[in-house]
Amino acid sequence: MKTPTLITALLLSAAPLLTACQTVSPGAIIAMADFDPLTVDPANLGFRVTVPDGVGLRSGDMMLRLSDETADGPILGTFPLTIGRKRLDSGQARYTGRLSSEHADAMRSVQARIQRSRKESGASGTGSFGIELVAACTASGKLPSPMPVTASIKASDGDFIPAIRSSDLPKDLSDASRDALQSRIRVCAN
């Protein structure tokens, strides 16, 4: 992808995309085995990201991405998440994300396009599904390091399932991705 991929939760096949320093528990892989991004109701999706307390997120700083390489070319949907925040006692902040009803409808349209393309071509396609951190704020306007990050997903009213854990996200990124994200880090307002 052309923008910095920071937290990629799942491929359409439910296999995680990871860099060397990110981990996914075997239990999370098993729990997500029945998850199908092409049939899940986008209105029921929930995301949770935990970052150091000094990292601030607002609506639009996390995006949901759904894409597929089809016989007719790529299909890509990018949807901003509405963000809520809860501070944890451990010096961390937990942000939850959901799609607005407008963006849930837009995701349904992308799901339908991918399903239609796969049905017409008879091919299964290669796709990805995940959340991406595209901006944030810090007191200094710079990415902290280390910056431990965890991401979880849920597809209904059930529990969040841990998807990704990184001990230092900026270190895990390519230079280009880290530079692109750094260019979108703003100073937090008091």
Side-chain angles (χ1 to χ4, degrees):
M1 292 182 185
K2 294 179 180 165
T3 58
T5 300
L6 297 184
I7 305 166
T8 303
L10 302 169
L11 285 174
L12 291 177
S13 66
L17 280 177
L18 303 172
T19 63
C21 298
Q22 296 172 329
T23 60
V24 173
S25 71
I29 294 170
I30 293 167
M32 293 302 291
D34 292 330
F35 178 77
D36 183 357
L38 295 181
T39 60
V40 68
D41 183 354
N44 291 336
L45 288 173
F47 302 92
R48 184 171 64 196
V49 176
T50 303
V51 295
D53 193 36
V55 176
L57 300 177
R58 63 183 180 198
S59 292
D61 284 353
M62 291 192 319
M63 306 288 276
L64 172 68
R65 295 193 184 276
L66 175 64
S67 67
D68 197 52
E69 289 293 329
T70 68
D72 298 326
I75 297 173
L76 172 65
T78 304
F79 316 99
L81 297 177
T82 301
I83 304 294
R85 182 178 194 263
K86 177 182 179 181
R87 184 168 184 218
L88 303 175
D89 291 334
S90 60
Q92 297 179 318
R94 177 176 292 156
Y95 291 89
T96 56
R98 297 196 71 76
L99 292 170
S100 68
S101 58
E102 173 188 350
H103 292 111
D105 289 343
M107 183 175 162
R108 284 185 196 96
S109 175
V110 171
Q111 288 171 312
R113 286 179 47 215
I114 293 171
Q115 289 172 342
R116 189 171 41 256
S117 176
R118 287 181 174 193
K119 184 176 180 179
E120 289 172 0
S121 70
S124 61
T126 302
S128 65
F129 172 82
I131 55 175
E132 181 176 8
L133 182 65
V134 297
C137 76
T138 64
S140 67
K142 298 188 183 302
L143 284 169
S145 189
M147 183 179 162
V149 175
T150 60
S152 303
I153 185 173
K154 69 176 181 174
S156 65
D157 291 332
D159 294 330
F160 279 95
I161 300 166
I164 299 292
R165 179 178 306 273
S166 172
S167 61
D168 188 2
L169 192 59
K171 185 178 176 183
D172 292 345
L173 298 172
S174 69
D175 290 342
S177 292
R178 187 174 39 257
D179 292 346
L181 177 61
Q182 179 58 58
S183 72
R184 293 187 206 97
I185 300 298
R186 58 195 179 275
V187 175
C188 293
N190 291 330

